Amino acid sequence: MYKILSLDGGGSWAIIQLLTLKDRYGNLTGHDILRKFDLVIANSGGSIVLAALAENYTIDKAISLFKEQKNRELIFHKNSFKDRYFPVDYLGLFNAGFGPKYSTTKKKEAFENLFPQIDEIQMDEIPKLIGKASLKIVIATYDALNNRAKFFKSFSTNPDTYDSVRLTQAINGSSNAPVQYFDFPARFKAKQSDIYYELWDGALGGFNNPILAGIIEAYKLGVDLKTLRIVSLGTSNSLMSADAKKNFWDWKQIAVIFRRKKFAFSKWKPQFNFFKETVLHQAKTILYQPPDTANYIAMMFLQVATNKALNEQIIRLSPLIHYDEHTENSIIPLVQDLYKLDMDLTKDEEIETLIKCFDAWKSGKLYNQPIEFKVERNNNLSLIKGDKWYREGVDRWRSWENV
């Protein structure tokens, strides 16, 4: 078997990936876990998890990256008024809620301090450090200057064009979510190169869930696709609640009806809500949809290429933030709290909510994200393909490693 570990982006929500790894392996060191795989591909928050494993943190120490406030604030370093650029600086004064809040440069410094061992070597030296020279590592980013996905790797099939960078550099680019989060592209150049990269989060290239890129890299390496076994760990995906759908519809109707009545001051708020929801949801489609799309395309591609059943090759584990008439009433307040959380969580109580999310998901009170599903008109979840519950996926994962 050729085993691939794929780690989604998701900011602070990446703690869920670490909690999943701890449930599966206990408090192992990062190198012990990475040696269990042949290829590891990651984006954004998942790339920070990968860096912690490559630094040989124990799982508990890696969890502290997200659990301890001092570490979160190193990564999500808030810009002061004087450090913001126009018009973000003045919008911030009025709490407009638009524009980047955090420093890309400070995030780079945080990674250099948090991961000193891997910051001293190039990515192609890391597999040897881990103790598995054949291990392949891939980090997804987005090249802002050429408007295309860019992958940094620990290996190359063409040494003449290999971009030799440090993993800390790559993850600074990969975790550099734009628009609402970080201020400037991550800037650096490869070793022995004169070309500078300007990089955003790999999600912009459609790789917030990088499972597809992982499969393609394995194919390019000549791996028999029938031997692939892929564990894809997400950081959750949210479906819109029935209440949120109703609010969206109501705000839209008011905007349509009152768009020509410019002095209907009492209707400004719902119209602004409609505008804000539309803009923010569109800005975040790079995070919302790719996990579903990537899983589905990966499933269809492998089924056609190998003629194998879905459950033989892909395990997708990620909480689905959703409730319907089958959800326990005691869990609904938790789901409602999770709906309110963004990616950039810096408060202890927010991280505790994520831990409660993992516990509810693990115990079967929150859905797992199936690879293919449908949301019925009454908002009920209808499974088509994949694992609807966490335990089903983890049990299959155990069975793969017992072969």
Side-chain angles (χ1 to χ4, degrees):
M1 291 191 295
Y2 191 88
K3 298 177 182 177
I4 297 176
L5 176 63
S6 175
L7 300 169
D8 285 18
S12 299
W13 291 70
I15 192 174
I16 289 172
Q17 295 173 337
L18 289 164
L19 293 168
T20 304
L21 289 171
K22 183 173 182 181
D23 182 52
R24 176 65 190 89
Y25 295 120
N27 190 32
L28 283 184
T29 65
H31 289 183
D32 286 336
I33 291 173
L34 290 174
R35 285 195 294 266
K36 296 179 181 293
F37 296 91
D38 300 292
L39 186 150
V40 183
I41 185 165
N43 181 60
S44 197
S47 76
I48 301 174
V49 169
L50 172 55
L53 299 179
E55 187 70 14
N56 208 26
Y57 282 11
T58 63
I59 290 293
D60 282 344
K61 185 175 179 181
I63 288 170
S64 75
L65 282 173
F66 301 98
K67 200 170 183 181
E68 293 184 10
Q69 186 169 352
K70 64 178 182 179
N71 290 332
R72 298 193 302 269
E73 291 180 347
L74 284 174
I75 296 170
F76 293 103
H77 179 92
K78 277 197 173 182
N79 284 325
S80 63
F81 173 79
K82 68 179 182 179
D83 290 324
R84 302 186 202 122
Y85 58 86
F86 181 83
V88 178
D89 44 8
Y90 288 99
L91 286 171
L93 288 177
F94 296 100
N95 294 318
F98 290 98
K101 303 183 283 289
Y102 307 109
S103 167
T104 302
T105 299
K106 292 293 185 182
K107 175 160 60 74
K108 165 185 168 289
E109 293 171 1
F111 291 150
E112 290 169 350
N113 290 325
L114 291 166
F115 310 124
Q117 188 174 16
I118 60 172
D119 187 54
E120 293 181 353
I121 61 177
Q122 302 298 104
M123 277 186 68
D124 59 357
E125 300 173 83
I126 289 179
K128 184 177 179 181
L129 174 71
I130 290 169
K132 186 174 183 177
S134 63
L135 177 65
K136 306 294 188 290
I137 294 173
V138 184
I139 301 293
T141 69
Y142 183 80
D143 182 346
L145 297 181
N146 295 300
N147 295 320
R148 60 195 293 267
K150 172 67 181 174
F151 298 94
F152 292 98
K153 308 171 188 178
S154 65
F155 61 97
S156 175
T157 53
N158 185 356
D160 293 334
T161 60
Y162 179 61
D163 299 307
S164 181
V165 304
R166 300 191 304 277
L167 185 56
T168 48
Q169 293 174 313
I171 68 170
N172 192 36
S174 184
S175 62
N176 211 37
V179 185
Q180 287 293 99
Y181 306 104
F182 290 95
D183 52 4
F184 296 106
R187 178 180 170 83
F188 61 83
K189 65 184 180 69
K191 187 178 180 181
Q192 297 178 335
S193 169
D194 295 325
I195 300 173
Y196 277 88
Y197 295 106
E198 301 275 354
L199 300 169
W200 290 119
D201 193 307
L204 270 70
F207 294 100
N208 197 50
N209 174 354
I211 184 174
L212 272 170
I215 292 171
I216 296 302
E217 289 297 336
Y219 176 75
K220 287 163 61 179
L221 289 165
V223 175
D224 182 353
L225 295 181
K226 291 181 180 180
T227 68
L228 293 188
R229 298 294 183 271
I230 306 158
V231 177
S232 173
L233 299 185
T235 58
S236 85
N237 224 37
S238 295
L239 301 181
M240 192 177 281
S241 69
D243 290 340
K245 289 177 181 177
K246 183 179 184 305
N247 286 338
F248 187 85
W249 170 255
D250 291 344
W251 295 336
K252 176 189 171 185
Q253 295 314 300
I254 291 171
V256 169
I257 293 168
F258 288 90
R259 60 184 165 174
R260 297 182 186 276
K261 299 177 182 180
K262 305 301 183 185
F263 299 103
F265 301 124
S266 65
K267 303 300 180 183
W268 278 11
K269 183 176 180 180
Q271 291 183 74
F272 178 77
N273 285 339
F274 173 69
F275 170 76
K276 184 174 73 171
E277 285 294 301
T278 301
V279 170
L280 292 182
H281 277 293
Q282 288 178 358
K284 293 178 182 178
T285 53
I286 58 172
L287 304 175
Y288 292 155
Q289 185 58 21
D292 285 341
T293 304
N295 290 324
Y296 182 74
I297 296 174
M299 171 193 74
M300 296 303 295
F301 173 73
L302 285 181
Q303 283 187 332
V304 170
T306 67
N307 201 31
K308 285 178 171 284
L310 162 71
N311 281 4
E312 286 187 55
Q313 294 197 271
I314 300 176
I315 294 169
R316 173 63 174 174
L317 289 170
S318 186
L320 192 64
I321 311 305
H322 177 71
Y323 67 90
D324 56 26
E325 64 182 20
H326 302 298
T327 305
E328 290 185 19
N329 289 335
S330 61
I331 294 299
I332 293 175
L334 171 61
V335 178
Q336 292 171 332
D337 287 341
L338 291 166
Y339 278 136
K340 299 172 187 175
L341 300 183
D342 208 334
M343 292 195 313
D344 52 331
L345 308 180
T346 55
K347 297 178 181 177
D348 287 339
E349 56 267 28
E350 294 171 332
I351 298 299
E352 287 303 317
T353 301
L354 293 187
I355 293 172
K356 290 177 183 176
C357 169
F358 173 79
D359 291 338
W361 175 49
K362 177 183 172 182
S363 64
K365 296 177 181 178
L366 275 183
Y367 293 122
N368 185 53
Q369 179 195 18
I371 287 179
E372 187 178 3
F373 63 93
K374 182 170 70 172
V375 181
E376 305 290 352
R377 190 171 181 82
N378 63 1
N379 228 36
N380 283 349
L381 185 74
S382 178
L383 172 70
I384 299 176
K385 290 181 180 178
D387 296 310
K388 194 173 183 178
W389 305 107
Y390 172 88
R391 188 49 57 192
E392 295 171 354
V394 170
D395 286 346
R396 286 199 297 117
W397 188 356
R398 292 181 193 280
S399 71
W400 283 1
E401 295 188 341
N402 289 332
V403 173

